[in-house]
Amino acid sequence: MKKTLLFIFTIILTLSFSGCKKGSIKNLNNITYGSSFGMCVGYCSSSLVISDLKLTFSKSKNAQPADTKTCSKTISEADIDAIKSELNINKISNLPEVIGCPDCADGGAEWISINADGKQYKITYEYGKAPKELEAAVAKLKVLKDSFKDCN
C-alpha cells in the first residue's frame, strides 16, 4: 500500500511540474504592441491591444487633433495561447526598457507591453529590430496587426 501511495504521489508531482514551462505566463491581463514614426505624414502611430478575447487596433496621425481610427474584433483563446507560449517572462524581465535608438533619424520605434502575473513590462526598440527574446511573439502580433489594414 505504501508503494502504491508513493507511486501515485510521484506521478501527481511529476505531472504538476511537467505542464509548467519555466518563465511562462500564467495570468495574462493584456498585451499591447505598437509602432510610431516621429517625422511622418498620415497615420504614424498604431497599436494593437489584446485583452480578454478582444483585439483593438488604433492608428493616429501626428497632427492636432490626432484623428484616431479604432477597430476591433475577437480573438480565439488558442491564438492568445500561441502568443503567450512565445513569451518568457524570465527573459523579458532581463531586457532593458529601451533597446538601441528607437525613432532616431526617423527610423521608427516599435514596442511591446505585457501586463501579466501582476507585473508590467514594456520594451521599446528600433523599428524592425525586435530582440531575439521577442521575435517570435512580435511576428505573431504583426500578423494580427496587419489584419486591420482596412481599418478606416
Side-chain angles (χ1 to χ4, degrees):
M1 181 68 167
K2 272 187 174 181
K3 285 184 181 183
T4 304
L5 287 174
L6 182 61
F7 180 71
I8 291 172
F9 177 73
T10 304
I11 289 175
I12 290 171
L13 190 61
T14 302
L15 290 175
S16 67
F17 287 110
S18 66
C20 292
K21 187 173 121 183
K22 190 173 180 180
S24 65
I25 294 173
K26 290 154 193 65
N27 183 20
L28 177 67
N29 294 332
N30 63 51
I31 298 174
T32 306
Y33 165 72
S35 62
S36 62
F37 294 86
M39 299 297 291
C40 151
V41 176
Y43 290 95
C44 304
S45 299
S46 65
S47 68
L48 177 73
V49 179
I50 301 172
S51 182
D52 298 320
L53 295 177
K54 184 177 179 183
L55 290 174
T56 304
F57 172 78
S58 62
K59 60 183 180 179
S60 59
K61 293 183 177 181
N62 284 347
Q64 293 297 330
D67 187 25
T68 301
K69 307 278 186 195
T70 302
C71 299
S72 61
K73 58 174 103 170
T74 59
I75 184 171
S76 71
E77 189 76 39
D79 286 339
I80 292 173
D81 288 343
I83 295 166
K84 278 175 42 177
S85 73
E86 300 296 346
L87 297 170
N88 183 308
I89 291 299
N90 291 339
K91 291 179 181 178
I92 290 169
S93 66
N94 289 326
L95 291 172
E97 289 182 21
V98 177
I99 300 172
C101 189
D103 209 16
C104 291
D106 199 31
E110 275 183 285
W111 49 271
I112 185 169
S113 176
I114 303 156
N115 185 336
D117 300 330
K119 294 186 180 176
Q120 177 78 29
Y121 308 92
K122 183 175 182 183
I123 298 96
T124 304
Y125 51 92
E126 296 173 29
Y127 184 82
K129 296 182 180 178
K132 67 180 183 320
E133 295 86 350
L134 297 174
E135 283 177 344
V138 166
K140 290 180 185 308
L141 291 166
K142 280 184 180 183
V143 169
L144 292 173
K145 181 180 166 187
D146 289 345
S147 73
F148 286 96
K149 290 279 188 206
D150 297 328
C151 180
N152 291 316

